[in-house]
Structure formats: structure tokens, C-alpha cells
């Protein structure tokens, strides 16, 4: 009979705490539970190993003995009454105090030969009840336009045939994921339903670039207005604004419009800023007279 590394079975280190053992056991037991893997012999064996590992590592005395002898267990003459005492020392609280409710539907199964030889007697405890497990989580993706993300609105998402009404708050970010509690798969043995996780993919088909709550855009300014000053009308995301252009405005100059950016997520009435970059547009297709005037200006400079 082969030595069984119970730490590897649960995927934990040898210095794992009781909390680590409990967490690892819950994860592995849920993964290999017979109700989740019907008619799967390999999962059934894994489930048995997971419970056996928990039986040993969650019990301080068993863990101490296991850690002491390890792979040298065959030579541990100190196990004189282990077999006789083992059956009498079976705890009755179910799965080593992990918080699962009773037996996990694995009745009538024996421990491995290794366990029997090292700790004596046994068989999985039978509490007459089955464990309750949370249902599987669902994951979905929803595509929005920038216009959709700019305003709070409602949508209906169909998941596994169920229509789920969503209120999507303005300012949702690209790649952001939200959780809707209890909209996943039904729980097992009366356990709670899983949750639904929705990831938002936001398609930007506007001239604005978004970084957090701020928006960025370029604004063309004709050469004459840039040199002499003036006014122009620029687009914000949902309206227009009149800008004053200072004389001799250089190419690449920026202006920040406070509160004209994207809505701040779940903070009604709060907005980021809009940062506009001036792009000076040179005149083209000059007439002969225009060229002469530019030459005169060149001479003056």
C-alpha cells in the first residue's frame, strides 16, 4: 500500500493553518462532490481522497502523527493500539468542523489501506444528511456603446432562458464586471444559488477618447483665428460649447473644461473633465494674392 500525501491532495503546504485546510477542503469537496459529478468514478475517488485528507489534517492528533512518521509510517512501532483505538476515536461532528452540513452523500465507502494501517478502522462518517453546496456561478458579457455607458438606462439580459432586468449606472467602465447575487445555477441539496457576473465591453465609435472619467478630443482651429484670436464652437459629448481663442495660440495648446467629461460611476451629478487639444489648420489652395500677402508678412518678420 502506498503512502498518500494528504497535503498534495488538498493542494496546500505542510505549514498550512487550520483555516487554510478548511478553505482548501471546501474547494476540493465542492469540485469533486458526487452530486456535481454524477457517474464519474475518477471524481468519486478524488472526493474520497479529499475527505480522507481532511479527516487527518483537520484533527490535530492525527496530523501530528502523520507529520511525525510520514513516509516512514511502516516502521512506526508506536502505533501499537492505533487500530483498536481508531474506531473509538471517530469524531461525530461531521467533516472535521469545516462548516458543511452533515454527510456529503458518500455513504458506505472505506478509507484507503494507508489510512486503515496508520490510524485503524473507520469508514466515512454518516450523519444522515447531505451537504449543501452553492450553485455554479454564471459569467456573461454585455456590449455597450459609449452613448449607452454615458447615461443610466435599463436593459434586459437573457441568461439560461431567464430574462434579467438590469439598471446600468452611467459611467460604467470598459471591462468592468458587476455581480448579481443569486442569478447563477441553482444550489445543490438546497444550497444557495450561484451568482451572475456580467462583464461590460464598451465600443467607442465617437471622436472622444476616454481615460477614467475624463474625455479627450482634438479641435481644429484655423490659422487666422489662432494668430489673431477669436471664438469657435466645439462639441462636448452631449452638447456644444463656445470657446474663446487667445491671440497667438500655438499648435497643441490644451484647454480643460471642468465637468464636461464622463459621468462618475454611481455618483449622480458628478462628471470628469473634457480636455481639448488645439490643432492649427493651415490654409490650402492659396491664391496668388494670398501668397503675396504671406510674402509681405514674411518680410515683416
Amino acid at each position: 500500500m502506498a503512502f498518500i500525501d494528504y497535503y498534495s491532495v488538498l493542494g496546500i503546504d505542510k505549514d498550512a493553518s487550520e483555516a487554510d485546510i478548511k478553505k482548501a477542503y471546501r474547494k476540493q469537496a465542492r469540485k469533486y462532490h458526487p452530486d456535481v459529478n454524477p457517474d464519474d468514478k475518477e471524481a468519486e475517488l478524488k472526493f474520497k481522497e479529499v475527505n480522507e485528507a481532511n479527516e487527518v489534517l483537520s484533527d490535530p492528533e492525527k496530523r501530528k502523527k502523520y507529520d511525525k512518521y510520514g513516509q516512514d509510517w511502516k516502521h512506526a512501532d508506536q502505533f501499537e493500539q492505533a487500530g483498536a483505538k481508531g474506531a473509538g476515536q471517530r469524531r461525530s461532528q461531521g467533516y472535521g468542523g469545516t462548516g458543511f452540513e452533515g454527510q456529503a452523500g458518500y455513504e458506505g465507502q472505506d478509507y484507503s489501506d494507508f489510512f486503515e494501517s496508520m490510524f485503524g478502522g473507520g469508514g466515512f462518517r454518516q450523519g444522515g444528511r447531505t451537504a449543501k453546496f452553492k450553485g455554479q456561478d454564471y459569467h456573461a458579457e454585455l456590449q455597450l456603446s459609449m452613448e449607452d455607458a454615458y447615461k443610466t438606462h435599463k436593459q434586459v439580459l437573457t441568461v439560461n432562458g431567464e430574462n434579467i432586468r438590469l439598471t446600468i449606472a452611467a459611467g460604467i467602465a470598459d471591462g468592468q464586471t458587476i455581480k448579481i447575487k443569486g442569478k447563477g445555477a441553482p444550489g445543490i441539496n438546497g444550497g444557495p444559488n450561484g451568482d451572475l457576473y456580467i462583464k461590460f465591453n464598451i465600443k467607442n465609435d465617437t471622436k472622444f477618447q476616454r481615460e477614467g472619467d475624463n474625455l479627450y478630443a482634438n479641435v481644429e482651429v484655423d490659422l487666422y483665428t489662432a494668430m489673431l484670436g477669436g471664438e469657435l464652437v466645439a462639441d462636448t459629448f452631449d452638447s456644444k460649447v463656445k470657446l474663446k481663442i487667445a491671440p497667438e495660440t500655438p499648435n497643441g495648446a490644451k484647454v480643460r473644461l471642468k465637468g464636461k467629461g464622463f459621468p462618475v460611476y454611481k455618483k449622480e451629478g458628478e462628471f470628469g473633465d473634457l480636455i481639448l487639444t488645439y490643432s492649427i489648420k493651415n490654409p490650402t489652395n492659396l491664391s496668388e494674392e494670398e501668397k503675396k500677402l504671406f510674402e509681405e508678412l514674411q518680410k515683416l518678420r
Side-chain angles (χ1 to χ4, degrees):
M1 63 197 77
F3 167 76
I4 300 176
D5 187 341
Y6 291 136
Y7 290 101
S8 294
V9 170
L10 293 183
I12 55 178
D13 296 327
K14 288 188 176 181
D15 58 354
S17 66
E18 290 184 11
D20 293 333
I21 294 170
K22 181 184 294 186
K23 181 179 180 181
Y25 168 64
R26 283 179 173 272
K27 179 180 178 181
Q28 297 294 341
R30 185 176 291 114
K31 179 178 179 180
Y32 296 113
H33 192 280
D35 289 343
V36 181
N37 305 276
D39 301 322
D40 187 334
K41 295 300 182 183
E42 184 175 350
E44 184 176 316
L45 178 60
K46 289 285 188 182
F47 186 67
K48 174 181 175 180
E49 290 179 350
V50 166
N51 279 282
E52 185 172 304
N54 181 67
E55 167 75 8
V56 173
L57 300 184
S58 65
D59 184 315
E61 291 302 318
K62 290 189 180 73
R63 184 180 182 184
K64 182 178 179 181
K65 185 182 292 185
Y66 176 78
D67 289 343
K68 181 176 181 180
Y69 295 107
Q71 295 191 37
D72 296 325
W73 63 276
K74 289 183 180 180
H75 308 295
D77 295 333
Q78 309 304 318
F79 292 1
E80 57 274 357
Q81 277 93 30
K85 294 180 180 178
Q89 293 175 346
R90 298 275 75 79
R91 291 175 298 160
S92 60
Q93 65 268 36
Y95 282 151
T98 60
F100 284 100
E101 297 187 18
Q103 183 63 1
Y106 209 82
E107 300 180 359
Q109 299 295 329
D110 295 330
Y111 287 95
S112 67
D113 290 341
F114 168 72
F115 183 98
E116 295 285 351
S117 295
M118 191 167 190
F119 299 104
F124 285 117
R125 293 179 296 270
Q126 299 179 19
R129 293 174 294 173
T130 55
K132 295 181 179 181
F133 291 94
K134 179 183 176 183
Q136 181 181 1
D137 293 332
Y138 288 158
H139 295 266
E141 293 190 1
L142 186 60
Q143 182 165 299
L144 302 178
S145 66
M146 280 276 281
E147 288 80 3
D148 289 334
Y150 187 81
K151 58 185 181 296
T152 297
H153 67 286
K154 297 182 183 296
Q155 287 206 21
V156 177
L157 181 66
T158 302
V159 178
N160 279 12
E162 179 183 0
N163 290 333
I164 299 173
R165 299 181 183 278
L166 302 175
T167 297
I168 302 173
I172 193 83
D174 182 45
Q176 184 173 340
T177 299
I178 65 172
K179 180 178 80 171
I180 302 179
K181 189 174 180 61
K183 291 300 182 180
I188 300 170
N189 298 329
N193 290 352
D195 301 320
L196 171 62
Y197 291 85
I198 302 175
K199 179 181 179 181
F200 291 88
N201 297 321
I202 299 177
K203 181 180 179 182
N204 186 2
D205 52 5
T206 73
K207 66 180 180 180
F208 298 93
Q209 298 299 315
R210 180 185 177 188
E211 293 184 14
D213 301 320
N214 293 333
L215 294 175
Y216 296 79
N218 293 325
V219 176
E220 286 190 347
V221 182
D222 67 83
L223 178 64
Y224 310 108
T225 302
M227 290 297 96
L228 302 175
E231 294 183 343
L232 62 80
V233 176
D235 292 325
T236 66
F237 196 87
D238 64 346
S239 61
K240 293 182 181 294
V241 64
K242 184 179 289 186
L243 300 174
K244 289 186 176 181
I245 309 299
E248 301 181 13
T249 293
N251 186 55
K254 299 180 186 297
V255 60
R256 178 184 292 266
L257 304 181
K258 300 288 289 185
K260 292 296 183 179
F262 220 70
V264 179
Y265 184 65
K266 288 191 173 180
K267 293 187 177 180
E268 188 174 353
E270 293 189 27
F271 292 79
D273 300 333
L274 171 61
I275 295 88
L276 299 176
T277 300
Y278 293 140
S279 178
I280 308 303
K281 184 179 181 181
N282 291 323
T284 58
N285 300 319
L286 297 176
S287 65
E288 290 301 318
E289 184 177 357
E290 287 175 322
K291 290 179 181 178
K292 288 179 181 179
L293 289 173
F294 272 106
E295 288 172 355
E296 290 297 324
L297 286 172
Q298 185 180 37
K299 290 176 182 178
L300 291 174
R301 299 293 293 179

